[in-house]
Amino acid sequence: MKQSKKYPIYGIMAEFETPGAILKAAQTAHDAGYRVMDAYTPFPIEEVSEAVGFRRKDNRVALTSLIGGLLGGLGGYTLASSAAGVWFPLNIAGRPFIPWPMFIPVTFEATVLIAGLSAAIGMLIMNGLPSPYHPVFNVPRFNRVTTDRFFLCIEARDPKYDEGVVTEFLKSLNPTEVTLVQG
Amino acid sequence: MSTNNYPVPSSIDRYGRNGLIAAVVGFAALIISIFTVSPTQFFHSYFLGFMVFVGLCAGSIGLLMLQYLTGGMWGVLTRRIFEAGSRIFPIAAILFIPIFFGMKDLYSWTDINYIKSSEDLVLKAGWLSTPFWIIRTIIYFAFWIIMMVVLNRYSKNLDADPGFKWSRKLENFSGGGFLFHFVFMTLAAFDWMMSLTPAWNSTIYGFVMIVGQGILALSFTIILISIYAKEEPLASIIKPVHLHDLGKLLFAFTFLWGYLCFAQLIVIYSGNLPEEIVWYHMRIRGGWVWVAYLVIFIHFALPFALLLSRDIKRSVRSLLPVAALLFVMRIVDLYWWIEPNWHQEHFYFSWADLAAPLGFVGLFVFLFVREYKKRGMLPLGEPELELTLHPKGAH
């Protein structure tokens, strides 16, 4: 299974048994200067994502959704008002050709639709899903990540990465097991 | 039971005192307006102020039942505030009495000749008769006072006997109570406010009022919590996640309110029938349209846009001004719903319309502080209290 020639090894992974242990491990690793790492847990733990160095400003889904919503609302309103007011003006009970209250439902629905789609599609593009292959699954025990185990993986892309040093470092965090992850 | 019962900080007395001063100034000005403006204007302004006052009480009791039904941290944190607000209902009932004497000045349907002028009104004459109207009002207040007494007594029992026994009872009682609250508040909104324009009707009117009262009571609550978030005992409890919940709820209420107002508008705008459109017509003519824009943009669009942001919802410094803005805009909105009934041609503003809300809100704050101090800041017997004090990131 050759993924990338540049990084034949994806990283080194440590297994932990409690949320507290992984949180502490992630914090220690971040303090030790490691930056390219990820934590895998059976359920979301907000503090852990902060500990591995994920900042909210890195998350562009909200902005994508806002822009999508604004464009959707503008588009919906423009569509309705150009169709009924410009391209084919309809006189309905003497109302103005562009009776804005009548177009609010369309505007609202288009806003919600496009904002929702932008959020969903933007999220998929930005987090790289769907991902049919991911090296972390080369670790057999990693299957337990959806049940009761917590994993911290320091990746080979990290500038401070050195196989020996990182292995020793992870072992010092009292994990259940430390494994080399094939790329 | 915990030894710490989270007492209300004594610094709250300052707000009570200021409330009393505002009440005295407001009501004195209101009484002066009888002689310097007119008795009619006095009743109009008094009615406006009263609707703000009763909105705070009814919003509190509605949210009190809502938080029992939904559960969650926000309810545990705000319960004592809603309870204190609901206990002011008897005073609201007493403050209603002057309105009985002003009915001739407020309601055109009290004039039998006016009723006879229209066939539609003749059909409504049975419902809109003064004695029946007064009896109904007494029934509404009796209902709320009974609800208030039961909810507060059960809550006391929950403190004495912590656990699920009484919290289940409160949940079940709130389920039925909430339903009847909607029925009675809808009828009250029809009787008190919608009948100001007797020929006009809108079935969603009561719902809009209920949600408006929810915004009023919730923004009052958020203001209070924001003020005390920096002071013990709340300082060590309140975390951004709590404010986030309250902010989200305020956002939801604002949006629901806008949605319902628009639902009323679009039906009437589409139909464009003379007897229906008149309600909006009298509210956009002769300068009133600027108040309408104020309501649309400052009461709805601005808080909506601000509350979209997660950061604004999670910080006291930014959530407090939004809540204060909504509180003020609720009064402006009520003014726009009430006052044009008597001034259909041109925008009209009397200083008594400023004095009345000042007096009534001041009185509410004064009474609220007195009630709120009685029972600490947090419900000690509540099973969800532990989760509220130590919220987990994961669930």
Side-chain angles (χ1 to χ4, degrees), chain B residues 67-90:
Chain B
Q67 61 86 19
Y68 280 128
L69 288 173
T70 62
M73 300 189 291
W74 71 275
V76 179
L77 209 61
T78 53
R79 186 177 306 168
R80 286 286 184 259
I81 300 174
F82 297 150
E83 278 176 353
S86 75
R87 288 202 292 273
I88 302 172
F89 248 120

Side-chain angles (χ1 to χ4, degrees), chain B residues 13-312:
Chain B
D13 288 330
R14 189 159 49 95
Y15 296 101
R17 243 187 343 266
N18 292 347
L20 186 62
I21 294 168
V24 169
V25 171
F27 279 102
L30 203 54
I31 289 166
I32 292 168
S33 78
I34 301 178
F35 308 105
T36 57
V37 187
S38 69
T40 307
Q41 183 56 46
F42 164 79
F43 283 118
H44 294 173
S45 302
Y46 187 92
F47 183 75
L48 170 68
F50 178 80
M51 288 313 294
V52 176
F53 189 89
V54 83
L56 282 162
C57 299
S60 296
I61 208 167
L63 288 169
L64 179 61
M65 290 188 277
L66 183 69
Q67 61 86 19
Y68 280 128
L69 288 173
T70 62
M73 300 189 291
W74 71 275
V76 179
L77 209 61
T78 53
R79 186 177 306 168
R80 286 286 184 259
I81 300 174
F82 297 150
E83 278 176 353
S86 75
R87 288 202 292 273
I88 302 172
F89 248 120
I91 310 284
I94 294 168
L95 288 171
F96 199 90
I97 293 168
I99 293 175
F100 290 136
F101 296 99
M103 281 178 75
K104 288 248 175 307
D105 289 304
L106 291 167
Y107 300 105
S108 48
W109 49 261
T110 49
D111 179 3
I112 191 71
N113 294 322
Y114 181 77
I115 294 268
K116 282 180 183 156
S117 70
S118 145
E119 237 169 81
D120 284 347
L121 286 179
V122 172
L123 290 172
K124 289 182 182 175
W127 182 260
L128 294 178
S129 76
T130 309
F132 190 25
W133 189 89
I134 291 173
I135 291 167
R136 284 200 305 273
T137 298
I138 293 168
I139 293 172
Y140 304 148
F141 277 111
F143 165 76
W144 285 312
I145 290 169
I146 292 168
M147 297 294 294
M148 174 276 276
V149 169
V150 175
L151 284 166
N152 278 280
R153 180 166 303 161
Y154 279 14
S155 159
K156 261 200 180 119
N157 293 346
L158 178 65
D159 279 358
D161 176 15
F164 287 102
K165 185 184 161 211
W166 287 101
S167 76
R168 281 281 141 72
K169 281 199 174 164
L170 278 160
E171 282 164 26
N172 293 338
F173 183 78
S174 300
F178 201 52
L179 184 72
F180 281 104
H181 175 65
F182 264 68
V183 174
F184 280 95
M185 196 65 235
T186 298
L187 290 175
F190 286 4
D191 280 348
W192 298 344
M193 274 181 68
M194 202 167 87
S195 77
L196 292 171
T197 323
W200 181 81
N201 61 65
S202 156
T203 45
I204 213 169
Y205 197 97
F207 199 2
V208 181
M209 288 319 297
I210 292 166
V211 176
Q213 293 169 342
I215 299 178
L216 194 64
L218 188 64
S219 49
F220 178 81
T221 304
I222 291 176
I223 293 169
L224 186 78
I225 287 187
S226 304
I227 290 172
Y228 282 102
K230 287 181 213 78
E231 213 169 311
E232 290 299 339
L234 284 190
S236 50
I237 296 168
I238 298 274
K239 302 209 167 53
V241 63
H242 296 120
L243 293 168
H244 196 183
D245 277 2
L246 291 170
K248 280 187 278 192
L249 199 63
L250 189 64
F251 174 77
F253 265 103
T254 311
F255 195 79
L256 180 61
W257 173 83
Y259 185 90
L260 295 174
C261 285
F262 182 75
Q264 179 180 289
L265 169 72
I266 194 153
V267 171
I268 292 173
Y269 184 87
S270 313
N272 204 15
L273 299 172
E275 66 270 26
E276 287 182 346
I277 203 79
V278 62
W279 194 86
Y280 282 104
H281 203 208
M282 66 173 85
R283 277 166 182 76
I284 55 172
R285 258 189 305 186
W288 281 115
V289 71
W290 296 105
V291 187
Y293 285 142
L294 202 65
V295 169
I296 294 173
F297 291 109
I298 310 296
H299 189 336
F300 175 71
L302 181 65
F304 172 80
L306 289 175
L307 288 172
L308 276 175
S309 153
R310 176 182 149 113
D311 292 335
I312 287 179

Side-chain angles (χ1 to χ4, degrees), chain A:
Chain A
M1 235 189 265
K2 270 191 182 154
Q3 185 61 22
S4 159
K5 283 206 172 59
K6 208 171 159 198
Y7 307 111
I9 297 295
Y10 179 73
I12 298 170
M13 183 182 269
E15 179 185 331
F16 298 91
E17 289 189 5
T18 61
I22 187 133
L23 178 59
K24 198 159 171 290
Q27 276 161 351
T28 317
H30 196 264
D31 291 344
Y34 295 106
R35 288 294 174 268
V36 188
M37 59 177 161
D38 214 342
Y40 306 85
T41 58
F43 49 83
I45 307 172
E46 226 172 280
E47 295 91 337
V48 171
S49 47
E50 276 165 34
V52 294
F54 182 81
R55 294 288 169 265
R56 250 193 7 95
K57 63 177 166 51
D58 303 332
N59 182 354
R60 297 254 174 257
V61 175
L63 184 67
T64 315
S65 176
L66 177 68
I67 293 169
L70 289 174
L71 290 176
L74 203 66
Y77 188 82
T78 314
L79 178 70
S81 48
S82 352
V86 181
W87 300 326
F88 197 89
L90 287 171
N91 184 340
I92 300 167
R95 284 197 195 80
F97 285 125
I98 299 176
W100 67 265
M102 305 303 283
F103 297 156
I104 294 292
V106 171
T107 311
F108 173 70
E109 298 298 343
T111 309
V112 174
L113 177 69
I114 306 296
L117 285 177
S118 319
I121 295 169
M123 177 270 290
L124 289 178
I125 291 172
M126 283 183 274
N127 67 11
L129 283 175
S131 167
Y133 173 80
H134 198 286
V136 287
F137 289 99
N138 292 336
V139 179
R141 290 174 66 92
F142 189 73
N143 285 339
R144 290 186 74 174
V145 76
T146 52
T147 333
D148 59 353
R149 284 295 192 275
F150 303 81
F151 293 87
L152 181 72
C153 181
I154 296 181
E155 291 167 30
R157 287 183 293 138
D158 194 288
K160 279 191 73 182
Y161 182 82
D162 178 284
E163 209 171 292
V165 177
V166 172
T167 310
E168 280 314 305
F169 171 74
L170 285 175
K171 275 187 179 156
S172 73
L173 299 171
N174 288 327
T176 320
E177 200 179 78
V178 174
T179 332
L180 198 64
V181 186
Q182 302 290 331

